[in-house]
């Protein structure tokens, strides 16, 4: 994406004017965090939502999927720009806006992690059960994937994590593009789908906004800045590289999403076939592919399904644990000083994340355990009704929180003047914030509150 600050890429030590050693230009050899955020952000649920959009509306909402990628590019770029321009982490920025941000994040990350852990393990176990139906049941496959994710993230640092994610993204890319080509898309209708037209259906506006908002990531967008630091990018000398990396991330996301929309439009829409929402919709698609193109294609698809789900699992296990470690570390230091003004600059720095200290810390590993073991109870007993409602509400509120706090941070004196938002970035982040507010209100409105009480 273009320079969204509206300023030239100049160097300086977080705005101090000191010279910074960094690459003169962006290059493919540097990319990494973008691959990680793309892999983590696109889960099985995103693919199913896109499949259903293709099934219901054909190519009509292709433009909405593209806009969704552009919106998320802006959000991730803003998060990365905050980390590089200030030398502070995103949570440290949030904390500077008031204690309410810490309360919101603390409650959100605990409830979200508990429910998401079960969903991620179940999603990763589904394709394995389909590939090896006689080995063991879904719950045990789910537990196995959770334990593998735990051990992998526990004993490896970011560099190894990124390499494994890159391999799995390669698998996802090959599978989704192969399927898109295999179904022989109607390119004329696909190009027509780039025109912003709403389907002639009930609630078409909300469905369209939902597709735009659902393309590629929630809390993982906030984790992008942490992965940028973990890669070793900690100052403005890496700004051009980060922006190129971010564009690659959402170009990759766009390819995944558009490929699955092609599949939905050609296989499901043309034959008027409906599939279930959620991960089981992909199992249904596997059965349809087996009937249409043979068992080999179906198994190939299930391998891609596993790569999609497992990258989301280990991505969250790593990225959100980094954020939680940062959250706990700042809280501990704030309590030790009892003086928020003294905590200010440098309390939670990108240099700390780059050093790997967070990945070895007890809060990082405690959150890893929280994501893995308590959710296993939900695999056997089902998900508590009230907890699921709270999870839905908090999850819907996170993206408006992220978009609007980034607008606040990047237009204030907390950010060096040369790296504050320009008109384009402000416009994109404001549009994103308003979009997510609408989706949040709808999500809250749709909850069965009468049953909750």
């Amino acid at each position: 994406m273009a320079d969204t600050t509206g300023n030239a890429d100049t160097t300086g030590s977080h705005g101090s004017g000191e010279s910074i050693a960094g690459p003169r230009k962006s290059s493919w050899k540097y990319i990494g965090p973008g691959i990680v955020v793309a892999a983590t952000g696109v889960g099985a649920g995103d693919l199913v939502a896109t499949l259903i959009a293709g099934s219901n509306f054909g190519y009509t909402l292709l433009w909405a999927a593209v806009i969704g990628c552009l919106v998320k590019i802006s959000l991730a770029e803003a998060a990365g720009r905050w980390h590089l321009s200030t030398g502070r982490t995103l949570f440290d920025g949030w904390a500077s806006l008031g204690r309410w941000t810490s309360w919101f994040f603390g409650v959100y990350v605990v409830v979200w992690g508990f429910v998401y852990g079960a969903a991620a393990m179940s999603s990763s176990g589904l394709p394995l059960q389909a590939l090896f139906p006689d080995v063991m049941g879904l719950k045990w496959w789910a537990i196995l994937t959770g334990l593998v994710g735990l051990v992998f993230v526990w004993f490896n640092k970011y560099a190894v994590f990124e390499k494994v994610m890159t391999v799995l993204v390669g698998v996802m890319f090959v599978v989704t593009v192969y399927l898109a080509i295999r179904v022989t898309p109607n390119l004329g209708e696909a190009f027509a789908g780039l025109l912003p037209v709403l389907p002639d259906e009930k609630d078409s506006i909300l469905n369209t906004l939902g597709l735009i908002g659902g393309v590629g990531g929630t809390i993982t967008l906030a984790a992008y800045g942490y992965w940028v630091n973990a890669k070793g990018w900690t100052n403005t000398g890496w700004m051009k590289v980060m922006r190129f990396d971010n564009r690659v991330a959402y170009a990759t996301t766009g390819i995944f999403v558009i490929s699955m929309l092609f599949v939905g439009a050609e296989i499901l829409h043309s034959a008027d076939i409906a599939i279930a929402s959620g991960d089981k919709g992909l199992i249904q698609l596997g059965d349809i592919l087996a009937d249409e193109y043979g068992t080999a294609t179906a198994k190939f698809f299930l391998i891609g399904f596993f790569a999609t789900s497992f990258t989301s699992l280990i991505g969250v296990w790593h990225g959100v644990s980094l954020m939680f470690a940062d959250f706990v570390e700042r809280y501990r230091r704030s309590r030790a000083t009892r003086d928020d003004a003294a905590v200010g600059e440098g309390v939670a720095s990108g240099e700390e994340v780059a050093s790997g200290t967070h990945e070895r810390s007890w809060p990082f590993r405690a959150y890893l355990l929280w994501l893995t073991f308590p959710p296993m109870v939900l695999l056997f007993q089902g998900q508590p009704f009230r907890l699921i409602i709270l999870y839905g509400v908090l999850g819907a509120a996170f993206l408006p929180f992220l978009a609007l706090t980034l607008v606040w941070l990047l237009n204030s004196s907390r950010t060096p003047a040369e790296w504050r938002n320009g008109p384009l970035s402000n416009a994109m982040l404001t549009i994103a914030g308003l979009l997510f507010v609408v989706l949040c209100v709808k999500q809250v409105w749709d909850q069965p509150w009468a049953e909750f009480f």
Side-chain angles (χ1 to χ4, degrees):
M1 189 177 181
D3 178 1
T4 54
T5 64
N7 300 303
D9 278 320
T10 58
T11 58
S13 182
H14 313 309
S16 67
E18 297 174 17
S19 178
I20 289 178
R24 290 177 179 270
K25 60 182 179 178
S26 56
S27 169
W28 287 97
K29 69 181 180 180
Y30 294 120
I31 65 169
I35 295 295
V36 171
V37 77
T40 307
V42 179
D46 297 287
L47 297 188
V48 172
T50 311
L51 272 172
I52 291 175
S55 172
N56 291 339
F57 310 118
Y59 294 100
T60 305
L61 291 181
L62 182 59
W63 63 272
V66 173
I67 289 178
C69 290
L70 295 177
V71 167
K72 300 297 177 63
I73 284 175
S74 299
L75 282 167
E77 188 274 341
R81 178 155 43 95
W82 167 265
H83 277 250
L84 294 182
S85 66
T86 66
R88 300 164 65 184
T89 63
L90 185 54
F91 184 79
D92 192 45
W94 285 337
S96 73
L97 301 178
R99 293 185 182 276
W100 65 275
T101 59
S102 299
W103 281 105
F104 173 79
F105 181 80
V107 174
Y108 170 78
V109 80
V110 170
V111 174
W112 182 88
F114 182 52
V115 180
Y116 180 83
M121 288 187 279
S122 180
S123 179
S124 297
L126 267 173
L128 293 176
Q129 185 195 31
L131 285 166
F132 310 104
D134 300 324
V135 176
M136 55 185 171
L138 173 60
K139 293 181 178 65
W140 299 107
W141 278 118
I143 289 172
L144 178 62
T145 60
L147 292 175
V148 169
L150 170 69
V151 171
F152 171 72
V153 175
W154 189 289
F155 290 106
N156 289 292
K157 291 186 180 180
Y158 175 80
V160 176
F161 164 72
E162 183 190 286
K163 287 181 173 63
V164 171
M165 291 288 273
T166 302
V167 171
L168 291 173
V169 166
V171 174
M172 293 168 60
F173 186 89
V174 170
V175 170
T176 55
V177 171
Y178 166 77
L179 287 178
I181 295 171
R182 190 78 170 84
V183 300
T184 317
N186 186 320
L187 295 181
E189 292 185 10
F191 280 114
L194 293 174
L195 296 174
V197 176
L198 290 174
D200 186 18
E201 301 281 344
K202 181 182 178 182
D203 294 331
S204 62
I205 294 178
L206 289 175
N207 289 333
T208 302
L209 292 178
L211 180 62
I212 293 172
V215 176
T218 50
I219 193 172
T220 55
L221 289 164
Y224 178 64
Y226 288 84
W227 285 322
V228 163
N229 287 157
K231 179 75 169 175
W233 306 347
T234 58
N235 56 53
T236 56
W238 292 96
M239 195 71 77
K240 285 184 179 180
V241 174
M242 181 276 291
R243 285 171 168 159
F244 178 67
D245 178 77
N246 183 42
R247 294 186 204 111
V248 170
Y250 282 94
T252 305
T253 299
I255 290 170
F256 292 150
V257 170
I258 290 170
S259 295
M260 294 311 289
L261 191 140
F262 282 6
V263 173
E266 292 297 334
I267 291 184
L268 305 179
H269 182 68
S270 59
D272 197 23
I273 298 173
I275 62 171
S277 60
D279 303 339
K280 292 184 178 178
L282 292 184
I283 296 295
Q284 287 180 267
L285 178 61
D287 295 336
I288 294 168
L289 289 171
D291 292 337
E292 291 282 336
Y293 303 109
T295 303
T297 296
K299 289 189 179 299
F300 188 51
F301 165 71
L302 289 172
I303 292 170
F305 177 7
F306 171 73
T308 301
S309 297
F310 194 64
T311 51
S312 292
L313 186 151
I314 60 175
V316 166
W317 264 229
H318 186 274
V320 183
S321 296
L322 271 180
M323 295 183 70
F324 184 77
D326 187 33
F327 166 71
V328 172
E329 185 61 27
R330 193 186 195 286
Y331 175 75
R332 289 170 62 194
R333 293 183 186 180
S334 296
R335 290 201 62 181
T337 62
R338 297 289 182 182
D339 181 5
D340 286 337
V343 178
E345 292 283 347
V347 166
S349 71
E351 296 285 356
E352 286 181 277
V353 179
S355 72
T357 56
H358 282 351
E359 291 170 290
R360 298 188 296 270
S361 67
W362 71 260
F364 180 89
R365 291 177 169 174
Y367 195 72
L368 271 179
L369 296 174
W370 174 253
L371 282 166
T372 307
F373 290 106
M376 290 180 184
V377 175
L378 302 183
L379 295 174
F380 290 94
Q381 296 187 355
Q383 298 180 342
F385 179 72
R386 289 183 175 83
L387 184 64
I388 294 304
I389 292 179
L390 186 59
Y391 168 80
V393 170
L394 288 171
F398 184 80
L399 280 177
F401 168 79
L402 174 62
L404 297 176
T405 54
L406 282 171
V407 171
W408 190 348
L409 289 170
L410 292 168
N411 283 288
S412 73
S413 59
R414 297 171 181 85
T415 304
E418 63 268 35
W419 300 111
R420 292 176 197 164
N421 281 355
L424 177 58
S425 188
N426 274 327
M428 292 297 291
L429 291 176
T430 301
I431 290 169
L434 295 175
L435 164 67
F436 296 130
V437 166
V438 171
L439 294 175
C440 177
V441 170
K442 182 180 184 297
Q443 178 82 353
V444 172
W445 182 266
D446 289 344
Q447 298 296 331
W449 293 106
E451 299 175 42
F452 182 89
F453 297 106

